[in-house]
């Protein structure tokens, strides 16, 4: 269920709070503008999203903001890609999807990388380029397998640690 009005209201409240808190404004405002743009794009309102994205881009460039901070992730490139897709500008959309994928690969965000690989596969499939789509789909499958294997190894390690060092409650007789 997508409650876009509630999302927009929450983002507008965050923007108002950021305007009052100038110390936090620098990083929060571009993230909030990108989020608001993403909601507007999901509502098929690209004309309203464009100015917000331009402002977010200007702030992010001026402040040299990283992809991720304590305030969240700044998914500018992916949101630009969605914006240009909504406008029917596939060349720019492709360029931004590729840039978004490079960014998350560079900063090491595996979950976002997986999402962007899926988006690239979808994008190329929609643009009747199945060979390129297949390349990104296979890369996504490989990354998903790697993430599952790492998660499995982590679960084994967690289990072994729990067995070697039981909590005090687990040592008491009669407790589960």
């Amino acid at each position: 269920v997508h409650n876009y009005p509630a999302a927009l209201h929450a983002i507008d409240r965050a923007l108002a709070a950021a305007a009052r808190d100038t110390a936090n404004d620098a990083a929060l405002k571009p993230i909030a503008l990108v989020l608001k743009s993403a909601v507007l794009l999901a509502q098929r309102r690209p004309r309203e999203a464009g100015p917000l994205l331009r402002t977010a881009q200007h702030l992010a460039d001026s402040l040299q903001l990283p992809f991720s901070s304590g305030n969240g992730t700044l998914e500018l490139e992916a949101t630009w890609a969605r914006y240009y897709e909504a406008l029917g500008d596939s060349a720019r959309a492709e360029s931004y999807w590729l840039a978004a994928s490079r960014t998350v690969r560079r900063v090491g965000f595996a979950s976002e990388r997986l999402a962007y690989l899926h988006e690239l596969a979808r994008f190329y499939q929609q643009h009747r380029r199945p060979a390129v789509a297949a390349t990104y789909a296979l890369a996504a499958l490989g990354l998903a397998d790697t993430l599952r294997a790492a998660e499995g190894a982590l679960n084994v390690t967690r289990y072994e640690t729990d067995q070697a060092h039981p909590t005090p409650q687990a040592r008491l007789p009669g407790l589960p």
Side-chain angles (χ1 to χ4, degrees):
V1 172
H2 302 288
N3 191 345
Y4 297 126
L8 289 172
H9 179 70
I11 294 166
D12 286 339
R13 282 196 345 245
L15 285 167
R20 289 188 304 272
D21 181 8
T22 55
N24 204 22
D25 182 33
L28 182 60
K29 187 173 182 180
I31 292 170
L33 290 172
V34 168
L35 289 173
K36 186 169 184 173
S37 299
V39 172
L40 292 170
L41 290 169
Q43 292 181 304
R44 295 187 172 102
R45 295 164 57 187
R47 300 283 179 217
E48 294 173 60
L52 299 176
L53 279 172
R54 282 187 281 284
T55 302
Q57 186 73 61
H58 174 73
L59 289 169
D61 291 346
S62 297
L63 300 168
Q64 298 178 336
L65 294 177
F67 177 77
S68 178
S69 70
N71 290 318
T73 56
L74 184 62
E75 295 188 69
L76 259 170
E77 294 155 329
T79 309
W80 275 117
R82 289 182 185 99
Y83 170 75
Y84 284 117
E85 278 191 83
L87 294 181
D89 187 340
S90 0
R92 282 188 176 169
E94 176 183 24
S95 175
Y96 276 102
W97 278 126
L98 292 169
S101 182
R102 282 191 303 272
T103 297
V104 294
R105 185 176 190 154
R106 179 179 40 81
V107 297
F109 280 57
S111 61
E112 282 85 355
R113 174 138 171 81
L114 181 60
Y116 295 170
L117 288 170
H118 283 292
E119 288 292 343
L120 280 161
R122 177 202 52 78
F123 176 83
Y124 287 117
Q125 188 65 36
Q126 285 181 344
H127 290 86
R128 294 185 169 85
R129 295 174 63 188
V132 181
T135 301
Y136 286 104
L138 287 172
L141 286 171
L143 180 57
D145 285 346
T146 300
L147 293 173
R148 274 194 293 278
E151 183 180 19
L154 178 64
N155 288 337
V156 168
T157 302
R158 187 176 297 132
Y159 172 79
E160 290 172 347
T161 302
D162 289 348
Q163 293 302 309
H165 306 288
T167 62
Q169 295 150 334
R171 286 186 231 149
L172 295 174
L175 290 177

